């Protein structure tokens, strides 16, 4: 069984044998292909799980959470579900899709338009990027059926660095090792408690708990706290130390899962495809399979209603309240900004097309320069 599970990795290493000694020679397109083996084939669960907890850990940076409370996108229970699903769609478009395609450029332009409406420190952007790179790697290293190779780790970093440059912020370290050091130094002075940290963390954790029966929510929340094993992060978000039994239970579960998968499960037959699919109307529709919390952008069909009913325990179903008419990349984000953002987003998408023709940040030698 183990021989079969490592077959895809052996094929990747053969294809990129020339880069194993120095993975930093990969361009961003090659880096994406290498990264997608772990993301979409070998270990998508912990890759995505680690990315979700990277977001939670980003709430420990005191300079970022007051804005999230002010905009109420993460503090308002009626908005946090859409915010989470939009974030998942953006990340899927960038990591699983084609960053250079029209839909990829429109999604990037819309993300940039949303962020540039606010004053956000470049260093906070870099820290969040560092978490998106390092947190999935940490979870995989601890609990998956195999570790990521150095080639995969560097490819993951290189691709996220390209995304960061297209978002227009500088200051991203040049190597994975430098990123680790930068993150540790940054957290020494910026990771500390303010009340807004706990507000947005509570809103996100409560979103995870919505589908859990009320009688079990306290128990599950304690398990969630045990996922955050750095005491300084728990202090910064206002959470207590987890009891020893919770740490033992969660770590035991994940380690057992890794062993069972490695020795008893066949490898995935094909890569996962979380991207929204075009409908007859040209709009994009998500699969129930990749819904995290609420069925945003899922077509209202009997099949999807049944799937969502089973997934949510009968609580949720696709419908107009969750925009069952699908989405276009330029429409993603908080409601009410579609008309305001349409033209500037399309203009930046055209500018990104030129940026792509010049080879992205590797060809241009600098981050993308915004036009607004």
């Amino acid at each position: 069984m183990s021989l079969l599970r490592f077959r895809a990795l052996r094929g990747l290493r053969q294809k990129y044998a020339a880069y194993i000694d120095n993975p930093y020679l990969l361009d961003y397109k090659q880096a994406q292909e290498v990264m997608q083996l772990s993301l979409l084939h070998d270990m998508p669960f912990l890759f995505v799980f680690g990315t979700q907890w990277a977001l939670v850990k980003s709430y420990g940076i005191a300079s970022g959470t007051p804005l999230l409370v002010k905009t109420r996108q993460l503090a308002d229970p009626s908005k946090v579900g859409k915010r989470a699903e939009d974030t998942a769609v953006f990340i899927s478009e960038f990591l699983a899709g084609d960053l250079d395609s029209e839909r990829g450029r429109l999604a990037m332009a819309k993300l940039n338009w949303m962020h540039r409406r606010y004053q956000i420190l470049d260093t906070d952007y870099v820290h969040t990027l560092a978490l998106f790179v390092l947190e999935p790697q940490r979870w995989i290293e601890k609990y998956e059926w195999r570790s990521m190779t150095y080639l995969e780790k560097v490819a993951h970093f290189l691709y996220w660095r390209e995304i960061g440059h297209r978002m227009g912020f500088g200051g991203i370290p040049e190597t994975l090792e430098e990123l680790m050091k930068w993150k540790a130094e940054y957290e020494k002075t910026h990771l500390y408690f303010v009340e807004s940290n706990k507000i947005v963390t509570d809103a996100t954790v409560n979103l995870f708990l919505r589908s859990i029966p009320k009688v079990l929510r306290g128990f599950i929340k304690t398990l969630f706290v045990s996922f955050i094993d750095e005491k300084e992060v728990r202090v910064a978000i206002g959470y207590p130390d987890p009891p020893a039994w919770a740490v033992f239970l969660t770590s035991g579960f994940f380690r057992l899962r890794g062993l069972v998968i490695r020795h008893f499960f066949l490898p995935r037959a094909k890569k996962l495809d979380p991207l929204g699919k075009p409908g007859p109307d040209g709009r994009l529709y998500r699969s129930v399979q990749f819904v995290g919390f609420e069925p945003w952008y899922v077509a209202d069909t009997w099949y999807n209603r049944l799937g969502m009913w089973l997934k949510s325990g009968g609580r949720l179903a696709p419908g107009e309240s969750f925009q069952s008419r699908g989405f276009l990349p330029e429409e993603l984000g908080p409601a009410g900004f579609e008309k305001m953002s349409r033209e500037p987003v399309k203009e930046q998408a055209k500018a990104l097309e030129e940026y792509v023709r010049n080879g992205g940040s590797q060809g241009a030698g600098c981050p993308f320069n915004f036009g607004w």
Side-chain angles (χ1 to χ4, degrees):
M1 198 69 71
S2 291
L3 287 174
L4 291 175
R5 292 207 64 84
F6 281 94
R7 182 172 57 187
L9 178 61
R10 288 195 299 270
L12 185 78
R13 288 175 65 85
Q14 288 174 2
K15 181 174 182 178
Y16 287 99
Y19 298 89
I20 288 176
D21 289 338
N22 186 4
Y24 291 99
L25 296 176
L26 292 166
D27 63 36
Y28 70 89
K29 293 183 179 180
Q30 294 170 318
Q32 183 183 29
E33 182 180 4
V34 172
M35 175 195 66
Q36 285 183 346
L37 176 66
S38 52
L39 170 64
L40 302 177
H41 187 271
D42 274 8
M43 33 204 173
F45 172 73
L46 278 188
F47 203 112
V48 173
F49 189 86
T51 302
Q52 289 175 326
W53 285 97
L55 276 174
V56 173
K57 288 186 175 182
S58 73
Y59 305 151
I61 300 300
S63 53
T65 54
L67 176 62
L68 295 174
V69 172
K70 182 179 179 181
T71 61
R72 298 195 60 76
Q73 295 304 311
L74 276 175
D76 187 338
S78 67
K79 295 180 179 179
V80 67
K82 185 178 190 300
R83 164 66 183 254
E85 298 298 340
D86 279 344
T87 300
V89 173
F90 276 121
I91 291 177
S92 295
E93 289 292 329
F94 301 151
L95 301 191
D98 182 355
L99 201 59
D100 296 341
S101 67
E102 182 180 16
R103 65 186 277 182
R105 287 183 284 106
L106 283 167
M108 180 62 70
K110 182 57 183 287
L111 184 70
N112 290 344
W113 183 88
M114 291 190 302
H115 283 156
R116 291 296 157 170
R117 295 177 65 245
Y118 306 105
Q119 295 295 319
I120 302 174
L121 299 173
D122 274 10
T123 48
D124 282 355
Y125 280 122
V126 176
H127 182 262
T128 301
L129 183 145
L131 287 170
F132 279 158
V133 172
L134 299 174
E135 195 63 14
Q137 293 184 9
R138 189 180 70 85
W139 276 89
I140 289 168
E141 188 68 29
K142 285 181 68 174
Y143 297 123
E144 262 297 359
W145 64 270
R146 74 167 177 87
S147 299
M148 293 176 73
T149 64
Y150 186 61
L151 175 71
E152 290 175 295
K153 290 178 180 179
V154 172
H156 186 201
F157 160 72
L158 290 175
Y159 194 68
W160 267 109
R161 188 178 67 179
E162 177 66 25
I163 292 172
H165 285 157
R166 293 190 189 205
M167 290 180 67
F169 60 89
I172 304 173
E174 290 298 311
T175 68
L176 179 63
E177 293 76 12
E178 290 173 3
L179 183 70
M180 293 178 185
K181 293 178 183 177
W182 184 94
K183 174 181 173 292
E185 288 299 315
Y186 191 70
E187 289 179 349
K188 287 179 181 178
T189 54
H190 292 78
L191 185 71
Y192 58 88
F193 178 79
V194 292
E195 188 60 33
S196 55
N197 291 3
K198 190 172 189 306
I199 291 172
V200 295
T201 303
D202 283 345
T204 302
V205 171
N206 289 338
L207 180 63
F208 278 95
L209 295 174
R210 279 186 189 177
S211 61
I212 305 297
K214 288 184 179 180
V215 69
L216 294 176
R217 288 181 184 176
F219 170 73
I220 299 299
K221 187 172 183 178
T222 301
L223 296 183
F224 281 178
V225 175
S226 72
F227 297 158
I228 306 171
D229 53 8
E230 301 101 320
K231 183 177 180 62
E232 60 273 19
V233 176
R234 292 196 299 269
V235 170
I237 61 176
Y239 275 47
D241 292 343
W245 64 261
V247 176
F248 176 80
L249 195 60
T250 54
S251 62
F253 167 78
F254 282 114
R255 292 185 192 283
L256 179 61
R257 173 190 171 276
L259 287 171
V260 170
I261 290 175
R262 179 175 180 128
H263 296 291
F264 298 103
F265 277 55
L266 288 169
R268 194 169 268 102
K270 61 180 181 179
K271 289 181 179 180
L272 296 176
D273 184 4
L275 294 174
K277 301 299 179 290
D281 56 0
R283 298 177 69 80
L284 301 171
Y285 294 85
R286 300 174 71 205
S287 166
V288 168
Q289 178 185 358
F290 300 106
V291 169
F293 305 102
E294 297 176 351
W296 286 91
Y297 319 123
V298 174
D300 189 0
T301 66
W302 71 266
Y303 178 82
N304 288 337
R305 279 182 167 266
L306 175 61
M308 202 62 219
W309 184 85
L310 293 170
K311 190 166 189 172
S312 68
R315 294 184 309 110
L316 301 171
E320 189 55 36
S321 60
F322 294 116
Q323 204 168 312
S324 58
R325 66 186 183 278
F327 72 95
L328 296 174
E330 60 268 33
E331 296 172 351
L332 294 169
F337 293 113
E338 292 91 344
K339 291 183 180 179
M340 183 191 309
S341 65
R342 185 174 294 127
E343 288 308 313
V345 165
K346 288 182 178 179
E347 288 176 12
Q348 190 185 105
K350 288 181 181 178
L352 277 166
E353 186 176 14
E354 180 65 25
Y355 186 73
V356 168
R357 278 200 294 266
N358 291 330
S361 64
Q362 289 171 311
C366 60
F368 179 67
N369 183 24
F370 288 93
W372 53 63

